[in-house]
Amino acid sequence: MLNLGSNFLERLGNQATNGFVRESRTNPGGGGASEAIDNSPRYRTWGELYGITSSTGPQVDYVGDKRRTMGGVAGFGARVMPGVNIGFSVDQSRTTVDVPLALQSAQLDLTQFGFNASVDKGPWTWAIALIHGFGNVSSGRDTGFGFASAWYGAQLDGGLTELDYYWTKDQSRIVPKVALEYMHASTGAFQETGGFDPLTVSGATMDRTRVLVGAEIGHYFILDHQEILDLSAYGKFVDNVSQQFSSVLVSLGPQSISVTGIGESQYGADAGASASLSITNTARLYFNYDGKFRSNLTSHQGTLGLEMKF
């Protein structure tokens, strides 16, 4: 749950701070044209399709899981004044969770709303992103004498702030980045039905604060018909400075036990790459890869997007 929110939050941040997107804001002509800033608002809209695969390794009493997510994003953005940009987007996804060693599975349908804003000042860019999400979870557990099923709700909220420094030489760039991210998520209590010995489980809350430090490198090429091909890659060091999980009470008849949720390792790395093709000054196709690497979790995401300006 937290990671789905973080993925959307960080993609919103990337919409505001990606080096090529930033250059197109301050250099609307593109492709080496002289820098110019349009005093009138400039609008853009984008759509994305994405898929995520992730796996969590065994931890303490948890046997690990595998997750698959498919989703789509629609967004709208505007330059409200020179150097100031805002955007709004909606993310709809479905995640399936498989815990084969525990004979359990679940499905999460999640809707997220996001807002981002950025301010460009010389080589500096400051950006923020905020999200709110809600969803429904359905779970099933093989008890050996039928399946025990449950349905419950989930919510999440998050925020990210990022500061970048944009350094360029000819058609290449290096963009150091530092960001602070906060996520909060909660799940409702539920009562299983069916199967043998159905369980009653209390609600849970999760909070995480992390710092991300890294850099993006990129280079663009001007093709024969003035299309612009941009290639970039990034790497970030991740420090989960705080992770807090509430205790969950699991009851079977008169007997109860208390368990605590699992989190990421404190330290890890994010890495990714992007290929972007500007067909015209107003149309751009792009593909992004984003990977997350922790000692107990690995995640891979691919995103295909189309951006239009008007």
Side-chain angles (χ1 to χ4, degrees):
M1 185 77 173
L2 284 178
N3 285 336
L4 290 175
S6 287
N7 288 344
F8 183 41
L9 193 60
E10 290 165 18
R11 291 201 311 274
L12 278 173
N14 186 60
Q15 282 281 349
T17 63
N18 174 269
F20 183 72
V21 174
R22 184 196 189 280
E23 183 172 21
S24 69
R25 292 198 298 256
T26 57
N27 184 6
S34 60
E35 184 170 308
I37 296 178
D38 187 355
N39 290 322
S40 63
R42 181 133 184 191
Y43 302 98
R44 64 190 183 97
T45 184
W46 66 93
E48 297 177 347
L49 296 174
Y50 67 88
I52 306 172
T53 63
S54 64
S55 60
T56 303
Q59 302 176 56
V60 192
D61 296 326
Y62 185 68
V63 296
D65 64 54
K66 294 183 178 180
R67 305 181 182 216
R68 302 287 185 272
T69 301
M70 296 296 295
V73 177
F76 174 81
R79 181 190 305 146
V80 294
M81 64 179 66
V84 180
N85 306 273
I86 61 172
F88 303 88
S89 58
V90 181
D91 182 316
Q92 181 66 49
S93 65
R94 170 167 289 182
T95 300
T96 57
V97 184
D98 186 21
V99 192
L101 294 181
L103 302 179
Q104 297 180 27
S105 62
Q107 179 175 289
L108 167 62
D109 291 312
L110 180 64
T111 302
Q112 300 182 80
F113 296 94
F115 166 80
N116 65 3
S118 64
V119 178
D120 302 323
K121 185 68 173 177
W124 295 94
T125 294
W126 172 71
I128 61 168
L130 302 170
I131 64 166
H132 172 70
F134 55 88
N136 294 298
V137 182
S138 60
S139 64
R141 182 173 59 90
D142 188 350
T143 66
F145 295 92
F147 279 86
S149 301
W151 296 266
Y152 53 97
Q155 291 191 31
L156 59 81
D157 296 278
L160 177 145
T161 181
E162 180 172 312
L163 182 66
D164 298 357
Y165 184 86
Y166 185 87
W167 180 85
T168 180
K169 182 174 177 58
D170 299 325
Q171 296 173 199
S172 299
R173 65 183 180 274
I174 299 176
V175 188
K177 300 170 176 278
V178 59
L180 176 67
E181 174 190 305
Y182 171 75
M183 287 295 308
H184 170 81
S186 62
T187 56
F190 63 87
Q191 166 73 60
E192 290 184 331
T193 58
F196 180 70
D197 285 341
L199 302 174
T200 300
V201 181
S202 67
T205 60
M206 298 145 277
D207 293 271
R208 181 174 67 200
T209 303
R210 60 168 48 152
V211 175
L212 303 95
V213 180
E216 171 195 337
I217 60 171
H219 184 88
Y220 70 84
F221 305 86
I222 303 174
L223 306 182
D224 291 342
H225 300 285
Q226 298 304 302
E227 300 95 340
I228 301 175
L229 173 64
D230 183 82
L231 302 176
S232 63
Y234 72 86
K236 297 178 182 179
F237 169 75
V238 180
D239 182 354
N240 291 306
V241 296
S242 174
Q243 297 185 88
Q244 298 180 1
F245 301 88
S246 66
S247 296
V248 177
L249 191 65
V250 181
S251 302
L252 175 59
Q255 298 179 333
S256 299
I257 61 171
S258 180
V259 298
T260 303
I262 61 168
E264 295 183 355
S265 56
Q266 179 175 356
Y267 303 114
D270 290 353
S274 177
S276 169
L277 179 63
S278 296
I279 305 168
T280 67
N281 284 343
T282 59
R284 180 173 70 97
L285 286 168
Y286 56 93
F287 176 78
N288 300 336
Y289 163 76
D290 299 284
K292 298 181 181 296
F293 306 94
R294 313 288 188 266
S295 65
N296 54 1
L297 177 144
T298 303
S299 172
H300 305 280
Q301 175 172 338
T303 303
L304 180 64
L306 171 65
E307 178 189 71
M308 301 293 295
K309 296 179 180 179
F310 59 96

